Amino acid sequence: MDRVTEESTTVTIIGAGPAGLVLANLLAAAGIACTVVERSSRVHVEQRARAGFLAANTVRVLTGAGLADGLLKHGRRHDTCAFRTASGEFELAYGGLGRGEVHTVYPQQDLVRDLVAAFLDRGGDLRFETAAVAVDGLGTDRPAVTTRGPDGALRRLSGRFVAGCDGRHGIARTAVPAGAVRRYRRDHGVSWLALLAAAPQSMAAVAYGVHPDGFAGHMARTPDVTRYYLQCPRGDDPAAWTDDRIWTALGARLRADRHGPLHRGAILERRVVDMGSDVLDPIQYGRLFLVGDAASLISPSAAKGANLAVMEAELLAAALTALLDGGDERPLARYSADCLPRIWRAQEFSHWMINLLHGPAGDGEEAVFLRALQQARLESLQTSRRHQDHFAENYVGI
Ligand code: APR
């Protein structure tokens, strides 16, 4: 049997995505010892392009913690989205609607890089290429995470708490005994070809193209890189989408003939994402607390994933600090109850966005009916100021 080295910490954090890194930085700032273990290499996590739309609450949390230098310097304000349909284009300048909140566009890999640097600068214990392979003792007051490092050596990190920030396929979720949590889930039945193009954005706003061929999306990232999405059949092979085919489909669905051409460039990334959502309830079990995708997976239709992760990390950091610093157990006991209503609000809005952006194909009775509902939804959003305010509040809010 492999030899296992015993170590101890206060909070063991599994995963160095936005959830784990924000939590680690907030705990370190509060003087609480924590160890972060991350299965992938530093280069991998710092280059993994994912989301990029930071909600006002996310910017507030990061600014308050002194973690926002990069995003305040290089992030770009974003306050308008546009819908392109058969009947034309309408824009919603959401920065002037609802609560007047805007997004900051800052690529997630840049934020991750900033958060890694900030944690290491504070002398934080962050172990890359180190996978959590077992979790035990969750029902005791010394839960432990066994890890395997790059040298193959096993270490058992015991502490007072474990934070499962290891994403949708992580070990933390599976460490909860069957029957202790309920998993709500939905497959939205829609897939997107997620694309990164080496090209500047083609218009100032986020654009949503609603088209009989399927949905197309346009989202800014950096001055040289733009994110696009194309709805595609489930199980489609990304390799079958040549650059030419992609630009032709994007041009048609975003109606470039009417609204102006797209700035083309090489396609840097193409992968198929199946729209799925799930929510665990509760998101804590014994001394284990789930944060980010580990707690709830949300479809990318409204760019909520990273923003929910930061909201939860802030609540958990505050709750752990209240207990470890001040002996107050109540915020930690309430962690799940505090997060879940916000998670469900975000899920509800994302689900509504899916139905706004996608109409089922075909001439069947139900498909035709659902497409008429989609049209009514778009019209309501285009014409009702109250609907627009409600949309804006949910689009940027968490
Ligand atoms: N041991 C160590 N690390 C692990 C393990 C494991 N057994 N399993 C997974 N991980 C790591 C992954 O390598 C990944 O870096 O956990 C990290 C989880 O990070 P994310 O998937 O980014 O999850 P999260 O931090 O919750 O992200 C929040 O940001 O862009 C969005 O789609 C993303 O919605 C998600 C959100």
Side-chain angles (χ1 to χ4, degrees), residues 15 17-19 37-40 48 50-51 108 131-132 165-166 292-293 305-306 309:
V37 297
E38 166 57 52
R39 176 173 65 184
S40 303
R48 193 169 42 184
R50 295 171 84 181
Q108 187 170 311
C165 306
D166 49 351
D293 278 12

Side-chain angles (χ1 to χ4, degrees), residues 92-243:
L92 289 184
Y94 58 83
L97 296 163
R99 296 209 193 94
E101 292 179 331
V102 301
H103 286 109
T104 301
V105 180
Y106 190 57
Q108 187 170 311
Q109 66 274 26
D110 293 351
L111 177 63
V112 162
R113 192 195 55 223
D114 296 349
L115 293 170
V116 166
F119 186 62
L120 294 176
D121 276 355
R122 287 193 223 257
D125 182 1
L126 169 47
R127 306 176 187 184
F128 289 103
E129 294 169 64
T130 299
V133 294
V135 180
D136 68 88
L138 293 178
T140 72
D141 58 5
R142 276 317 273 183
V145 176
T146 302
T147 68
R148 189 182 290 279
D151 54 358
L154 291 174
R155 293 191 160 73
R156 186 170 173 277
L157 270 162
S158 59
R160 294 190 59 187
F161 300 99
V162 177
C165 306
D166 49 351
R168 56 192 297 192
H169 300 301
I171 192 174
R173 282 183 161 211
T174 57
V176 179
V181 290
R182 176 157 181 198
R183 181 176 173 215
Y184 297 83
R185 67 175 161 157
R186 176 165 164 84
D187 176 350
H188 302 288
V190 171
S191 299
W192 283 0
L193 183 67
L195 305 159
L196 280 177
Q201 63 197 86
S202 298
M203 56 214 103
V206 163
Y208 300 108
V210 176
H211 191 277
D213 293 349
F215 163 75
H218 159 278
M219 275 127 226
R221 278 295 179 270
T222 68
D224 314 309
V225 174
T226 304
R227 173 78 68 220
Y228 286 94
Y229 292 109
L230 276 174
Q231 185 183 352
C232 65
R234 180 69 47 101
D236 232 16
D237 176 9
W241 286 88
T242 59
D243 285 24

Side-chain angles (χ1 to χ4, degrees), residues 82-86 88-89 203 207-210 253-255 259-260 262:
F83 295 84
R84 292 181 174 182
T85 70
E89 180 184 66
M203 56 214 103
Y208 300 108
V210 176
R253 298 187 198 181
L254 289 166
R255 296 179 162 89
H259 306 294
L262 305 177

